[in-house]
Amino acid sequence: MFRRFSVAFSFILFFIAGPLQAAVTLTFYSKELGATFPHAFIALDGTTGPDNALVKATYGFTAKRISPAILMGDVEGILEPVTESYRKASDAHFSIELTDAQYAAVLATVEKWKNMPGKSYSLNKRNCVFFVGDVARAVGLTVVEDPKLMKKPRSFTQSIMKLNPQLSAPVQQAAAAATD
């Protein structure tokens, strides 16, 4: 009897004091056209680690300075957060719950894009859509960089959904009116 109680008690303690895993959701957004950038970006929301550290971050890749120069060739790029009002004014397409490994892969991808040297932004080779595609690949999603979609954030994100049938419950949150 004591032995059964001991095993049961150990089992309960394991679940109460066991290691906490990341509980982070990755959401893919787009904002079709307009004068504000980026037009495609990601958001991370949740908690991670044994101390349940809050995770609330957004990342989008864009040109450091928006000017006609982006039409002529490569310019300096920047990975930057978007404001909460910009996020609310954008379209949320789908979300996935990340494993610890996927969360680490997203952070590594963010660091890679954050540390690209020199003229890292290219309208045709390295824009916000390419960044979102790179993040999607990092978490194991199938991505096809169709040249016809690489300047169309909404269509590109929707193509990821079509290529990954496990994303059967898309968020499809329509944009709210922007306030900034």
Side-chain angles (χ1 to χ4, degrees), residues 149-163:
L149 300 179
M150 300 318 289
K151 293 181 192 171
K152 298 180 178 179
R154 179 181 301 131
S155 298
F156 178 75
T157 306
Q158 290 170 340
S159 78
I160 294 172
M161 292 169 59
K162 289 176 187 169
L163 291 167

Side-chain angles (χ1 to χ4, degrees), residues 30-166:
S30 73
K31 185 172 176 92
E32 209 61 23
L33 305 175
T36 53
F37 295 85
H39 291 125
F41 62 96
I42 61 160
L44 295 166
D45 296 287
T47 58
T48 187
D51 59 349
N52 275 334
L54 182 64
V55 175
K56 186 165 181 66
T58 57
Y59 300 99
F61 188 71
T62 189
K64 194 168 189 177
R65 285 177 284 292
I66 306 302
S67 74
I70 65 173
L71 302 172
M72 308 301 177
D74 296 356
V75 297
E76 285 184 78
I78 186 169
L79 189 69
E80 62 183 9
V82 300
T83 64
E84 188 61 28
S85 60
Y86 189 83
R87 180 179 176 176
K88 287 178 182 175
S90 302
D91 296 319
H93 294 283
F94 64 92
S95 296
I96 60 174
E97 295 296 319
L98 300 178
T99 65
D100 290 343
Q102 288 172 318
Y103 179 62
V106 170
L107 294 181
T109 303
V110 164
E111 284 303 309
K112 177 177 83 172
W113 282 78
K114 191 183 290 184
N115 295 313
M116 283 190 181
K119 295 183 176 183
S120 57
Y121 182 90
S122 168
L123 190 58
N124 298 311
K125 298 178 284 187
R126 282 179 314 280
N127 62 31
C128 58
V129 175
F130 286 88
F131 167 70
V132 165
D134 204 13
V135 170
R137 263 190 305 281
V139 298
L141 298 176
T142 300
V143 177
V144 174
E145 291 180 355
D146 182 342
K148 294 179 288 199
L149 300 179
M150 300 318 289
K151 293 181 192 171
K152 298 180 178 179
R154 179 181 301 131
S155 298
F156 178 75
T157 306
Q158 290 170 340
S159 78
I160 294 172
M161 292 169 59
K162 289 176 187 169
L163 291 167
N164 297 276
Q166 72 274 25

